[in-house]
Amino acid sequence: MDQVVVDAGRKEQRRRLLSARFTVYFVLVMCLFAQADYLEVLRLMKTGEPVLRPWTGVNKSSLTRARQRLGWEVMRELFRAVSRPMGDTSELFHGLRVLAMDGMLLAVPDSAGNLEAFGKSGSQRNPMGYPQARVVAVTECSTHAVLDAVIGGFKDSERIVSDTLEAHVGPGTLVLADRGLWGLARWHRFRDRGAHLLWRIERRKARRVEDVLPDGSYIARIEANKHSKAAGKVKAPPVRVRVIEYRVDGQPDVVRLITSLLDHERYPAAELAALYARRWEIELVFDEIKTHQRGRPVLRSQTPDGVRQEIYAHLIVHHATRDLLNEAARLHQSVAERTSFTRALHVVRRTVIAPGGFSPLRPEA
């Protein structure tokens, strides 16, 4: 964290009561105790570190200015610095780390700045509800660890927002995604990074059958749509994919998957169909963040930069809590994804406010 603050140019030239280092910890504790106001968060931090200096004259306005000085990029870079895969080799699928990609919406305060930056549902003349920030993330299915995330607005497509996701997506990974994220150029971009893909797709796609395989799957060719809105631009080259079709018991719709794993002997269709169900693990991750950790229906930041800072802080807190759960699961030889995130969150909150359990002081102090 100290290195991230220095690299971002936020290290102070003079000593401040609300330093950048302290403000990073303040924002993280603010996300842990979402129901507490700013001054109550300070009191909780004081409980965890009794030797902190007294905050004479510190109020909500000075804390707001400290957050503004810090900026949101520091929290984004800190998240990228700490996020990492946690699963061991026993949780790989034929040597591939299984990741899932999807998006969620987070309601933010209805300020003029947030409305302009993020937008809300409804028409321009009749907007409805709160503005909403769109977060598209990549998670590790076996541990629920969020590995990368980008933030857009309500009006932004998940496909467009996801184009900047790249951390930890590369050789040795298999990315699962729903049909809402399909794009031929996006497919090539992930494949160029060395990642394998298993995506759901609409039935009208991949209809050029080239070969039928013994396990019931088939090889097909996908080409760029000649009549798309991108007419006149450089089209993505065609791609050969393997198509797997099946029905879930009791459901009339046919699930249609495409994958870059063309070897039907090494990757049987039945195994890939069963594996795709793990894509729903990312929905459980979003529920952990939105319902259990956030603890309030609307984020508290009144400005777009504050919203981005708060979201990345939530992702850091979630990753740290999942890291704790993963370590506990290894000690007790259980599965991290099936352990209670809520109970772990309670443990973290108790530890943070325990004397000696948390220190926002400088290392040399």
Side-chain angles (χ1 to χ4, degrees), residues 14 81 102 122 134 157 249 257-258 262 322 352:
R14 60 187 178 87
D102 207 345
R134 186 180 299 280
S157 166
D249 292 342
L257 307 179
I258 59 173
L262 305 183
R322 270 289 156 196
V352 163

Side-chain angles (χ1 to χ4, degrees), residues 167-343:
H168 303 286
V169 175
T173 62
L174 174 62
V175 182
L176 314 181
D178 202 3
R179 51 193 164 192
L181 288 164
W182 160 254
L184 185 56
R186 189 169 303 104
W187 181 279
H188 282 291
R189 185 160 46 251
F190 277 71
R191 290 292 293 127
D192 289 343
R193 294 185 59 83
H196 281 289
L197 308 171
L198 178 63
W199 286 4
R200 190 171 180 179
I201 198 170
E202 299 172 357
R203 293 200 64 184
R204 58 189 178 87
K205 301 288 186 183
R207 298 176 67 89
R208 298 173 181 266
V209 180
E210 295 185 352
D211 189 20
V212 178
L213 303 175
D215 64 352
S217 62
Y218 58 90
I219 304 298
R221 180 183 177 90
I222 301 180
E223 296 183 352
N225 186 355
K226 298 178 181 179
H227 305 290
S228 69
K229 295 180 180 179
K233 297 183 179 180
V234 177
K235 302 287 187 180
V239 63
R240 291 177 76 245
V241 299
R242 182 170 160 220
V243 183
I244 301 167
E245 295 180 334
Y246 63 96
R247 279 192 175 91
V248 179
D249 292 342
Q251 300 295 325
D253 296 336
V254 174
V255 178
R256 201 157 190 260
L257 307 179
I258 59 173
T259 181
S260 59
L261 301 171
L262 305 183
D263 188 344
H264 68 278
E265 293 183 348
R266 184 174 182 183
Y267 309 103
E271 289 188 14
L272 291 173
L275 179 70
Y276 184 74
R278 303 209 65 188
R279 191 199 71 80
W280 295 101
E281 296 291 343
I282 195 171
E283 302 295 344
L284 299 178
V285 174
F286 292 159
D287 179 69
E288 291 169 358
I289 296 172
K290 294 174 66 174
T291 304
H292 304 289
Q293 180 176 298
R294 182 178 56 167
R296 54 192 296 159
V298 183
L299 298 179
R300 69 172 84 206
S301 302
Q302 299 289 330
T303 65
D305 284 355
V307 167
R308 297 183 183 98
Q309 182 189 77
E310 188 176 353
I311 290 174
Y312 278 114
H314 270 293
L315 293 174
I316 294 169
V317 170
H318 180 269
H319 195 88
T321 307
R322 270 289 156 196
D323 199 2
L324 173 68
L325 268 174
N326 187 65
E327 183 64 24
R330 288 182 179 177
L331 290 173
H332 292 274
Q333 297 181 349
S334 60
V335 182
E337 64 182 295
R338 299 303 177 212
T339 51
S340 173
F341 178 81
T342 303
R343 294 180 67 181

Side-chain angles (χ1 to χ4, degrees), residues 15-251:
R15 188 178 183 186
R16 286 183 180 271
L17 180 60
L18 300 178
S19 64
R21 188 178 205 275
F22 183 89
T23 306
V24 168
Y25 280 112
F26 172 81
V27 175
L28 295 176
V29 177
M30 180 187 77
C31 292
L32 264 177
F33 298 93
Q35 301 294 342
D37 61 28
Y38 276 12
L39 295 182
E40 181 61 23
V41 172
L42 279 179
R43 297 185 188 103
L44 291 169
M45 294 176 70
K46 180 70 173 177
T47 303
E49 186 52 84
V51 300
L52 284 173
R53 296 168 58 192
W55 293 297
T56 305
V58 173
N59 54 32
K60 181 178 178 180
S61 296
S62 56
L63 290 165
T64 299
R65 290 193 297 272
R67 287 188 59 192
Q68 291 171 347
R69 287 195 304 271
L70 181 68
W72 68 275
E73 293 89 349
V74 170
M75 304 308 290
R76 180 190 62 189
E77 296 308 313
L78 180 57
F79 167 69
R80 290 177 174 176
V82 301
S83 62
R84 59 179 178 81
M86 302 178 191
D88 56 31
T89 55
S90 65
E91 297 165 332
L92 302 181
F93 174 76
H94 293 283
L96 298 174
R97 189 176 301 277
V98 181
L99 312 179
M101 180 172 62
D102 207 345
M104 66 175 172
L105 291 170
L106 295 174
V108 302
D110 199 356
S111 65
N114 285 344
L115 178 58
E116 181 180 359
F118 301 111
K120 61 170 66 174
S121 60
S123 64
Q124 185 174 1
R125 182 173 296 182
N126 297 303
M128 298 184 296
Y130 287 94
Q132 298 186 81
R134 186 180 299 280
V135 182
V136 181
V138 172
T139 67
E140 185 179 34
C141 293
S142 62
T143 63
H144 287 190
V146 181
L147 304 182
D148 196 11
V150 289
I151 302 170
F154 175 79
K155 301 293 185 181
D156 297 328
S157 166
E158 285 185 349
R159 302 180 184 184
I160 297 174
V161 177
S162 67
D163 285 344
T164 55
L165 287 172
E166 57 184 27
H168 303 286
V169 175
T173 62
L174 174 62
V175 182
L176 314 181
D178 202 3
R179 51 193 164 192
L181 288 164
W182 160 254
L184 185 56
R186 189 169 303 104
W187 181 279
H188 282 291
R189 185 160 46 251
F190 277 71
R191 290 292 293 127
D192 289 343
R193 294 185 59 83
H196 281 289
L197 308 171
L198 178 63
W199 286 4
R200 190 171 180 179
I201 198 170
E202 299 172 357
R203 293 200 64 184
R204 58 189 178 87
K205 301 288 186 183
R207 298 176 67 89
R208 298 173 181 266
V209 180
E210 295 185 352
D211 189 20
V212 178
L213 303 175
D215 64 352
S217 62
Y218 58 90
I219 304 298
R221 180 183 177 90
I222 301 180
E223 296 183 352
N225 186 355
K226 298 178 181 179
H227 305 290
S228 69
K229 295 180 180 179
K233 297 183 179 180
V234 177
K235 302 287 187 180
V239 63
R240 291 177 76 245
V241 299
R242 182 170 160 220
V243 183
I244 301 167
E245 295 180 334
Y246 63 96
R247 279 192 175 91
V248 179
D249 292 342
Q251 300 295 325

